[in-house]
Amino acid sequence: MADIWMDEGALARRHSVKYRRYPADVLPMWVAEMDTRLADPVKCALAKAVADSDTGYADPNGLLEAFAGFAERRYGWSPDPAWMLMMPDVMTGIGEMLKLVTEPGDAVAITTPSYPPFFQRTEEIGRRIAENPLVLTARGWELDFAHLESVFAAGASAYLLCNPHNPTGKVFTRAELTTIADLADRYGVRVIADEIHAPLTFGGVAHVPFALLDHPAARASVTMVSASKAWNLAGLKCAVLVAGERGWADAQRISEDVPYGASLLGVLANQAAFEAGDAWLTSVGGALDGNRRLAAALLRELAPEVGYRMPEATYLAWLDFRRTGLGSDPATVLIERGRVALSRGTDFGDSGAGFARLNLASAPERVAEAVRRIAAVVAATQP
Ligand SMILES: Cc1ncc(COP(=O)(O)O)c(C=O)c1O
């Protein structure tokens, strides 16, 4: 396997927010960007567009079919390109759909801890948040279905399903998805599935698209996908909205100008990733699998009081510092005392107090260095 990680010098020259937010002595292990090089097919598509000065407005042709082909190969899911829309990014698609399937003042159910923009986008458009906290059991993070049902029964009109789940790395099983679908159908709740992390599952864990269920709630759903996480293209701005039959009845009312917020370079890069990026997924998946195991071994050895469950997908580790003396906001303490930047747990909802999210998409030496810095701070702090 060719080395997928960029060297230190190239990382220091990066312009992205991961590298620009903090001073150079802070190891950036926070926002969900990877320290990888670009996959070859993506690099070629971008280089060709630049060589041809091909930088006009984006066109969805080719992109939607490319995603359909990828979904078929990867998940055995055959979504119809006629029910898809190009989008500038996943959060735009989620916001637009929420505006269409809920009314101002409605509650939107969100399983917490949650990717922070789920809260911000929901509130920005005048909807309320109904938190549904995950519970940590001996089997890992689990949905509290009784609680989810109570939230649905109390009148939530949409549910934001994040699968695989950011920040825990949980991958929902078909049985769990079916229970969600049953509840959504019973209470008339519309499911908006964010499956941006789906190409990055490990260790034999399979991603089941919510839309693949043979269920009325799946046909009423809309799914947001993008190559932006698995191929590290977030700055290029492109995602795809994939609707079921009833979902499409709403999605086609999205204003015509919204899809054109996507960038042509993003579309070309996403298309190349979906058409020719399978080998890349094998490489990056192997490397990330190694990193999640490395973090497990090092945390066990150097900071056993920090709680860690290996993610089943993606490259985010949700670390539990509640048995250390680092308080409710360990990320801030770690930046100040350890010069390592994780994402702040409380940004992921109230249940994130005492947690921080570690981004494992770095070369193994950097992951090891991050754990050493975390361990040194924990060791120097009295619980
Ligand atoms: C679950 C989830 N959804 C959406 C996004 C952001 O996607 P976009 O930049 O396409 O809006 C992220 C980024 O980390 C994410 O983790």
Side-chain angles (χ1 to χ4, degrees), residues 32 89-91 115 118 162 166 194 196-197 228-229 237:
D89 50 43
V90 163
M91 287 313 303
Y115 176 58
F118 279 16
C162 183
N166 174 1
D194 176 343
I196 193 170
H197 293 281
S228 61
K229 292 296 136 188
K237 304 312 281 181

Side-chain angles (χ1 to χ4, degrees), residues 54-84:
D54 188 8
T55 50
Y57 289 112
D59 183 272
N61 279 315
L63 167 71
L64 310 182
E65 293 72 15
F67 178 71
F70 175 77
E72 176 71 55
R73 290 193 309 280
R74 190 96 181 158
Y75 316 122
W77 173 34
S78 327
D80 186 343
W83 292 346
M84 295 185 199

